[in-house]
mmCIF file of all heavy atoms in Angstrom:
data_model
loop_
_atom_site.group_PDB
_atom_site.id
_atom_site.type_symbol
_atom_site.label_atom_id
_atom_site.label_comp_id
_atom_site.label_asym_id
_atom_site.label_seq_id
_atom_site.Cartn_x
_atom_site.Cartn_y
_atom_site.Cartn_z
ATOM 1 N N HIS L 397 -4.913 -6.786 15.746
ATOM 2 C CA HIS L 397 -4.418 -7.518 14.585
ATOM 3 C C HIS L 397 -4.310 -9.002 14.897
ATOM 4 O O HIS L 397 -4.334 -9.413 16.049
ATOM 5 C CB HIS L 397 -3.050 -6.982 14.139
ATOM 6 C CG HIS L 397 -1.933 -7.442 15.013
ATOM 7 N ND1 HIS L 397 -1.705 -6.924 16.267
ATOM 8 C CD2 HIS L 397 -0.991 -8.392 14.816
ATOM 9 C CE1 HIS L 397 -0.665 -7.528 16.802
ATOM 10 N NE2 HIS L 397 -0.207 -8.426 15.955
ATOM 11 N N ARG L 398 -4.211 -9.771 13.841
ATOM 12 C CA ARG L 398 -4.041 -11.212 13.962
ATOM 13 C C ARG L 398 -3.116 -11.658 12.838
ATOM 14 O O ARG L 398 -3.229 -11.191 11.719
ATOM 15 C CB ARG L 398 -5.380 -11.911 13.829
ATOM 16 C CG ARG L 398 -5.277 -13.416 13.959
ATOM 17 C CD ARG L 398 -6.587 -13.998 14.287
ATOM 18 N NE ARG L 398 -7.018 -13.377 15.531
ATOM 19 C CZ ARG L 398 -7.687 -13.970 16.471
ATOM 20 N NH1 ARG L 398 -8.029 -15.203 16.327
ATOM 21 N NH2 ARG L 398 -8.058 -13.352 17.561
ATOM 22 N N ILE L 399 -2.200 -12.557 13.157
ATOM 23 C CA ILE L 399 -1.295 -13.115 12.146
ATOM 24 C C ILE L 399 -1.816 -14.500 11.805
ATOM 25 O O ILE L 399 -2.000 -15.339 12.682
ATOM 26 C CB ILE L 399 0.155 -13.170 12.661
ATOM 27 C CG1 ILE L 399 0.625 -11.752 12.992
ATOM 28 C CG2 ILE L 399 1.054 -13.833 11.636
ATOM 29 C CD1 ILE L 399 1.980 -11.677 13.642
ATOM 30 N N ILE L 400 -2.058 -14.724 10.527
ATOM 31 C CA ILE L 400 -2.634 -15.978 10.068
ATOM 32 C C ILE L 400 -1.584 -16.745 9.282
ATOM 33 O O ILE L 400 -1.005 -16.221 8.336
ATOM 34 C CB ILE L 400 -3.873 -15.716 9.194
ATOM 35 C CG1 ILE L 400 -4.911 -14.938 10.002
ATOM 36 C CG2 ILE L 400 -4.453 -17.023 8.674
ATOM 37 C CD1 ILE L 400 -6.065 -14.431 9.191
ATOM 38 N N GLY L 401 -1.350 -17.968 9.675
ATOM 39 C CA GLY L 401 -0.406 -18.820 8.972
ATOM 40 C C GLY L 401 1.024 -18.325 9.028
ATOM 41 O O GLY L 401 1.831 -18.674 8.188
ATOM 42 N N GLY L 402 1.348 -17.480 9.996
ATOM 43 C CA GLY L 402 2.704 -16.998 10.157
ATOM 44 C C GLY L 402 3.150 -15.967 9.145
ATOM 45 O O GLY L 402 4.269 -15.485 9.212
ATOM 46 N N LYS L 403 2.277 -15.592 8.191
ATOM 47 C CA LYS L 403 2.727 -14.627 7.191
ATOM 48 C C LYS L 403 1.675 -13.618 6.765
ATOM 49 O O LYS L 403 2.008 -12.620 6.158
ATOM 50 C CB LYS L 403 3.267 -15.349 5.965
ATOM 51 C CG LYS L 403 2.267 -16.221 5.247
ATOM 52 C CD LYS L 403 2.903 -16.915 4.067
ATOM 53 C CE LYS L 403 1.919 -17.836 3.379
ATOM 54 N NZ LYS L 403 2.518 -18.464 2.212
ATOM 55 N N HIS L 404 0.408 -13.824 7.076
ATOM 56 C CA HIS L 404 -0.635 -12.883 6.695
ATOM 57 C C HIS L 404 -1.060 -12.094 7.927
ATOM 58 O O HIS L 404 -1.383 -12.673 8.954
ATOM 59 C CB HIS L 404 -1.850 -13.607 6.115
ATOM 60 C CG HIS L 404 -1.533 -14.396 4.882
ATOM 61 N ND1 HIS L 404 -1.290 -13.804 3.671
ATOM 62 C CD2 HIS L 404 -1.394 -15.720 4.685
ATOM 63 C CE1 HIS L 404 -1.035 -14.728 2.774
ATOM 64 N NE2 HIS L 404 -1.077 -15.913 3.366
ATOM 65 N N VAL L 405 -1.060 -10.770 7.831
ATOM 66 C CA VAL L 405 -1.465 -9.910 8.930
ATOM 67 C C VAL L 405 -2.801 -9.284 8.577
ATOM 68 O O VAL L 405 -2.948 -8.662 7.525
ATOM 69 C CB VAL L 405 -0.427 -8.795 9.195
ATOM 70 C CG1 VAL L 405 -0.899 -7.887 10.318
ATOM 71 C CG2 VAL L 405 0.926 -9.399 9.518
ATOM 72 N N VAL L 406 -3.777 -9.468 9.452
ATOM 73 C CA VAL L 406 -5.079 -8.842 9.305
ATOM 74 C C VAL L 406 -5.179 -7.825 10.434
ATOM 75 O O VAL L 406 -5.054 -8.177 11.602
ATOM 76 C CB VAL L 406 -6.220 -9.875 9.407
ATOM 77 C CG1 VAL L 406 -7.564 -9.185 9.307
ATOM 78 C CG2 VAL L 406 -6.078 -10.928 8.322
ATOM 79 N N ALA L 407 -5.374 -6.569 10.083
ATOM 80 C CA ALA L 407 -5.435 -5.509 11.096
ATOM 81 C C ALA L 407 -6.734 -4.738 10.950
ATOM 82 O O ALA L 407 -7.225 -4.522 9.844
ATOM 83 C CB ALA L 407 -4.255 -4.560 10.947
ATOM 84 N N VAL L 408 -7.288 -4.337 12.084
ATOM 85 C CA VAL L 408 -8.503 -3.532 12.117
ATOM 86 C C VAL L 408 -8.215 -2.311 12.972
ATOM 87 O O VAL L 408 -7.711 -2.433 14.087
ATOM 88 C CB VAL L 408 -9.681 -4.329 12.715
ATOM 89 C CG1 VAL L 408 -10.922 -3.473 12.786
ATOM 90 C CG2 VAL L 408 -9.946 -5.581 11.902
ATOM 91 N N VAL L 409 -8.506 -1.143 12.432
ATOM 92 C CA VAL L 409 -8.310 0.108 13.154
ATOM 93 C C VAL L 409 -9.618 0.862 13.120
ATOM 94 O O VAL L 409 -10.268 0.951 12.082
ATOM 95 C CB VAL L 409 -7.202 0.974 12.506
ATOM 96 C CG1 VAL L 409 -7.004 2.258 13.285
ATOM 97 C CG2 VAL L 409 -5.903 0.203 12.413
ATOM 98 N N SER L 410 -10.041 1.389 14.252
ATOM 99 C CA SER L 410 -11.238 2.222 14.267
ATOM 100 C C SER L 410 -11.004 3.390 15.207
ATOM 101 O O SER L 410 -10.148 3.341 16.072
ATOM 102 C CB SER L 410 -12.466 1.416 14.701
ATOM 103 O OG SER L 410 -12.346 1.040 16.050
ATOM 104 N N GLY L 411 -11.753 4.439 14.990
ATOM 105 C CA GLY L 411 -11.646 5.566 15.894
ATOM 106 C C GLY L 411 -11.411 6.890 15.209
ATOM 107 O O GLY L 411 -10.548 7.650 15.617
ATOM 108 N N GLY L 412 -12.144 7.180 14.181
ATOM 109 C CA GLY L 412 -12.079 8.512 13.594
ATOM 110 C C GLY L 412 -10.888 8.765 12.707
ATOM 111 O O GLY L 412 -10.451 9.898 12.573
ATOM 112 N N ILE L 413 -10.342 7.723 12.119
ATOM 113 C CA ILE L 413 -9.230 7.923 11.206
ATOM 114 C C ILE L 413 -9.579 7.314 9.858
ATOM 115 O O ILE L 413 -10.483 6.496 9.741
ATOM 116 C CB ILE L 413 -7.925 7.289 11.731
ATOM 117 C CG1 ILE L 413 -8.089 5.772 11.863
ATOM 118 C CG2 ILE L 413 -7.509 7.893 13.050
ATOM 119 C CD1 ILE L 413 -6.809 5.059 12.111
ATOM 120 N N ARG L 414 -8.861 7.712 8.848
ATOM 121 C CA ARG L 414 -9.062 7.152 7.516
ATOM 122 C C ARG L 414 -7.706 6.696 7.002
ATOM 123 O O ARG L 414 -6.744 7.446 7.028
ATOM 124 C CB ARG L 414 -9.631 8.207 6.573
ATOM 125 C CG ARG L 414 -9.901 7.686 5.188
ATOM 126 C CD ARG L 414 -10.513 8.785 4.323
ATOM 127 N NE ARG L 414 -10.817 8.301 3.005
ATOM 128 C CZ ARG L 414 -9.946 8.251 2.006
ATOM 129 N NH1 ARG L 414 -8.717 8.654 2.184
ATOM 130 N NH2 ARG L 414 -10.295 7.798 0.830
ATOM 131 N N VAL L 415 -7.629 5.446 6.570
ATOM 132 C CA VAL L 415 -6.394 4.898 6.044
ATOM 133 C C VAL L 415 -6.669 4.411 4.634
ATOM 134 O O VAL L 415 -7.553 3.586 4.418
ATOM 135 C CB VAL L 415 -5.878 3.725 6.911
ATOM 136 C CG1 VAL L 415 -4.628 3.138 6.319
ATOM 137 C CG2 VAL L 415 -5.649 4.183 8.337
ATOM 138 N N ASP L 416 -5.925 4.937 3.682
ATOM 139 C CA ASP L 416 -6.054 4.498 2.304
ATOM 140 C C ASP L 416 -4.803 3.716 1.955
ATOM 141 O O ASP L 416 -3.736 4.280 1.732
ATOM 142 C CB ASP L 416 -6.214 5.697 1.372
ATOM 143 C CG ASP L 416 -6.456 5.286 -0.065
ATOM 144 O OD1 ASP L 416 -6.546 4.069 -0.338
ATOM 145 O OD2 ASP L 416 -6.554 6.174 -0.920
ATOM 146 N N THR L 417 -4.920 2.392 1.932
ATOM 147 C CA THR L 417 -3.757 1.526 1.710
ATOM 148 C C THR L 417 -3.579 1.127 0.255
ATOM 149 O O THR L 417 -2.702 0.327 -0.055
ATOM 150 C CB THR L 417 -3.876 0.254 2.561
ATOM 151 O OG1 THR L 417 -5.079 -0.429 2.195
ATOM 152 C CG2 THR L 417 -3.897 0.587 4.045
ATOM 153 N N HIS L 418 -4.397 1.670 -0.619
ATOM 154 C CA HIS L 418 -4.348 1.269 -2.024
ATOM 155 C C HIS L 418 -2.944 1.415 -2.600
ATOM 156 O O HIS L 418 -2.432 0.503 -3.254
ATOM 157 C CB HIS L 418 -5.341 2.102 -2.833
ATOM 158 C CG HIS L 418 -5.443 1.649 -4.249
ATOM 159 N ND1 HIS L 418 -4.660 2.174 -5.245
ATOM 160 C CD2 HIS L 418 -6.214 0.713 -4.821
ATOM 161 C CE1 HIS L 418 -4.960 1.578 -6.383
ATOM 162 N NE2 HIS L 418 -5.905 0.685 -6.158
ATOM 163 N N ASP L 419 -2.287 2.541 -2.370
ATOM 164 C CA ASP L 419 -0.944 2.753 -2.907
ATOM 165 C C ASP L 419 0.101 1.861 -2.236
ATOM 166 O O ASP L 419 1.122 1.533 -2.833
ATOM 167 C CB ASP L 419 -0.529 4.211 -2.756
ATOM 168 C CG ASP L 419 -1.352 5.132 -3.651
ATOM 169 O OD1 ASP L 419 -1.934 4.635 -4.635
ATOM 170 O OD2 ASP L 419 -1.417 6.328 -3.349
ATOM 171 N N LEU L 420 -0.139 1.472 -0.981
ATOM 172 C CA LEU L 420 0.827 0.645 -0.257
ATOM 173 C C LEU L 420 0.751 -0.824 -0.634
ATOM 174 O O LEU L 420 1.716 -1.566 -0.441
ATOM 175 C CB LEU L 420 0.605 0.785 1.252
ATOM 176 C CG LEU L 420 0.767 2.183 1.826
ATOM 177 C CD1 LEU L 420 0.364 2.190 3.280
ATOM 178 C CD2 LEU L 420 2.190 2.673 1.646
ATOM 179 N N ALA L 421 -0.379 -1.265 -1.139
ATOM 180 C CA ALA L 421 -0.555 -2.678 -1.420
ATOM 181 C C ALA L 421 -0.692 -2.984 -2.912
ATOM 182 O O ALA L 421 -0.963 -4.113 -3.276
ATOM 183 C CB ALA L 421 -1.794 -3.198 -0.690
ATOM 184 N N GLY L 422 -0.489 -1.999 -3.748
ATOM 185 C CA GLY L 422 -0.591 -2.227 -5.191
ATOM 186 C C GLY L 422 0.532 -3.112 -5.707
ATOM 187 O O GLY L 422 1.528 -3.368 -5.023
ATOM 188 N N ARG L 423 0.396 -3.600 -6.921
ATOM 189 C CA ARG L 423 1.408 -4.492 -7.508
ATOM 190 C C ARG L 423 2.801 -3.870 -7.520
ATOM 191 O O ARG L 423 3.782 -4.553 -7.291
ATOM 192 C CB ARG L 423 1.025 -4.835 -8.936
ATOM 193 C CG ARG L 423 0.181 -6.038 -9.042
ATOM 194 C CD ARG L 423 0.090 -6.483 -10.493
ATOM 195 N NE ARG L 423 -1.038 -7.344 -10.643
ATOM 196 C CZ ARG L 423 -1.028 -8.631 -10.352
ATOM 197 N NH1 ARG L 423 0.073 -9.187 -9.922
ATOM 198 N NH2 ARG L 423 -2.099 -9.353 -10.482
ATOM 199 N N ASN L 424 2.888 -2.585 -7.786
ATOM 200 C CA ASN L 424 4.198 -1.926 -7.873
ATOM 201 C C ASN L 424 4.798 -1.633 -6.500
ATOM 202 O O ASN L 424 5.991 -1.379 -6.394
ATOM 203 C CB ASN L 424 4.082 -0.628 -8.676
ATOM 204 C CG ASN L 424 3.704 -0.908 -10.119
ATOM 205 O OD1 ASN L 424 4.036 -1.959 -10.663
ATOM 206 N ND2 ASN L 424 3.003 0.023 -10.732
ATOM 207 N N ALA L 425 3.987 -1.646 -5.452
ATOM 208 C CA ALA L 425 4.485 -1.317 -4.116
ATOM 209 C C ALA L 425 5.098 -2.531 -3.413
ATOM 210 O O ALA L 425 5.938 -2.376 -2.541
ATOM 211 C CB ALA L 425 3.361 -0.742 -3.260
ATOM 212 N N VAL L 426 4.689 -3.731 -3.773
ATOM 213 C CA VAL L 426 5.186 -4.944 -3.126
ATOM 214 C C VAL L 426 6.100 -5.667 -4.110
ATOM 215 O O VAL L 426 5.686 -6.039 -5.202
ATOM 216 C CB VAL L 426 4.008 -5.863 -2.707
ATOM 217 C CG1 VAL L 426 4.523 -7.125 -2.054
ATOM 218 C CG2 VAL L 426 3.064 -5.117 -1.785
ATOM 219 N N ARG L 427 7.356 -5.836 -3.689
ATOM 220 C CA ARG L 427 8.337 -6.474 -4.573
ATOM 221 C C ARG L 427 9.053 -7.587 -3.816
ATOM 222 O O ARG L 427 9.212 -7.542 -2.605
ATOM 223 C CB ARG L 427 9.359 -5.436 -5.038
ATOM 224 C CG ARG L 427 8.749 -4.323 -5.868
ATOM 225 C CD ARG L 427 9.829 -3.412 -6.432
ATOM 226 N NE ARG L 427 10.732 -2.884 -5.428
ATOM 227 C CZ ARG L 427 10.612 -1.685 -4.867
ATOM 228 N NH1 ARG L 427 9.635 -0.896 -5.203
ATOM 229 N NH2 ARG L 427 11.496 -1.281 -3.985
ATOM 230 N N THR L 428 9.543 -8.569 -4.549
ATOM 231 C CA THR L 428 10.321 -9.662 -3.986
ATOM 232 C C THR L 428 11.780 -9.233 -3.909
ATOM 233 O O THR L 428 12.318 -8.658 -4.854
ATOM 234 C CB THR L 428 10.199 -10.913 -4.870
ATOM 235 O OG1 THR L 428 8.821 -11.264 -4.955
ATOM 236 C CG2 THR L 428 10.989 -12.072 -4.301
ATOM 237 N N ASP L 429 12.410 -9.502 -2.760
ATOM 238 C CA ASP L 429 13.817 -9.154 -2.580
ATOM 239 C C ASP L 429 14.679 -10.217 -3.248
ATOM 240 O O ASP L 429 14.947 -11.267 -2.669
ATOM 241 C CB ASP L 429 14.135 -9.054 -1.088
ATOM 242 C CG ASP L 429 15.603 -8.761 -0.820
ATOM 243 O OD1 ASP L 429 16.289 -8.251 -1.738
ATOM 244 O OD2 ASP L 429 16.071 -9.047 0.290
ATOM 245 N N THR L 430 15.100 -9.961 -4.451
ATOM 246 C CA THR L 430 15.940 -10.921 -5.185
ATOM 247 C C THR L 430 17.423 -10.708 -4.917
ATOM 248 O O THR L 430 18.243 -11.530 -5.309
ATOM 249 C CB THR L 430 15.680 -10.797 -6.700
ATOM 250 O OG1 THR L 430 15.925 -9.450 -7.101
ATOM 251 C CG2 THR L 430 14.246 -11.186 -7.047
ATOM 252 N N ASP L 431 17.791 -9.601 -4.252
ATOM 253 C CA ASP L 431 19.194 -9.303 -3.974
ATOM 254 C C ASP L 431 19.656 -9.791 -2.607
ATOM 255 O O ASP L 431 20.832 -9.688 -2.276
ATOM 256 C CB ASP L 431 19.439 -7.798 -4.066
ATOM 257 C CG ASP L 431 19.106 -7.249 -5.445
ATOM 258 O OD1 ASP L 431 19.327 -7.971 -6.432
ATOM 259 O OD2 ASP L 431 18.612 -6.110 -5.520
ATOM 260 N N GLY L 432 18.736 -10.279 -1.764
ATOM 261 C CA GLY L 432 19.104 -10.768 -0.444
ATOM 262 C C GLY L 432 19.296 -9.684 0.598
ATOM 263 O O GLY L 432 19.833 -9.942 1.669
ATOM 264 N N VAL L 433 18.850 -8.465 0.316
ATOM 265 C CA VAL L 433 19.010 -7.359 1.268
ATOM 266 C C VAL L 433 18.236 -7.633 2.551
ATOM 267 O O VAL L 433 18.750 -7.448 3.655
ATOM 268 C CB VAL L 433 18.566 -6.022 0.628
ATOM 269 C CG1 VAL L 433 18.588 -4.896 1.649
ATOM 270 C CG2 VAL L 433 19.443 -5.694 -0.565
ATOM 271 N N MET L 434 16.999 -8.099 2.428
ATOM 272 C CA MET L 434 16.180 -8.342 3.615
ATOM 273 C C MET L 434 16.747 -9.471 4.473
ATOM 274 O O MET L 434 16.726 -9.395 5.692
ATOM 275 C CB MET L 434 14.732 -8.665 3.212
ATOM 276 C CG MET L 434 14.014 -7.495 2.568
ATOM 277 S SD MET L 434 13.961 -6.025 3.611
ATOM 278 C CE MET L 434 12.931 -6.573 4.925
ATOM 279 N N ALA L 435 17.253 -10.510 3.850
ATOM 280 C CA ALA L 435 17.851 -11.603 4.613
ATOM 281 C C ALA L 435 19.051 -11.103 5.407
ATOM 282 O O ALA L 435 19.250 -11.478 6.564
ATOM 283 C CB ALA L 435 18.262 -12.746 3.681
ATOM 284 N N GLY L 436 19.865 -10.239 4.805
ATOM 285 C CA GLY L 436 21.014 -9.658 5.508
ATOM 286 C C GLY L 436 20.574 -8.783 6.666
ATOM 287 O O GLY L 436 21.167 -8.823 7.744
#
């Protein structure tokens, strides 16, 4: 993997596996923490 600009992660995996990230990266899966939970 490589971190670009301190916030973008580019990862490459190989070796007989299949990863379907569509559900993990969809609009509904990524949300902004407006309650401050992550900062805490």
Side-chain angles (χ1 to χ4, degrees):
H397 77 285
R398 181 160 302 216
I399 299 174
I400 301 170
K403 61 181 178 178
H404 299 287
V405 178
V406 178
V408 178
V409 181
S410 67
I413 62 169
R414 182 178 182 275
V415 178
D416 184 2
T417 59
H418 186 269
D419 292 339
L420 299 174
R423 270 192 199 278
N424 295 331
V426 179
R427 297 186 306 263
T428 301
D429 177 21
T430 57
D431 300 325
V433 174
M434 294 302 294

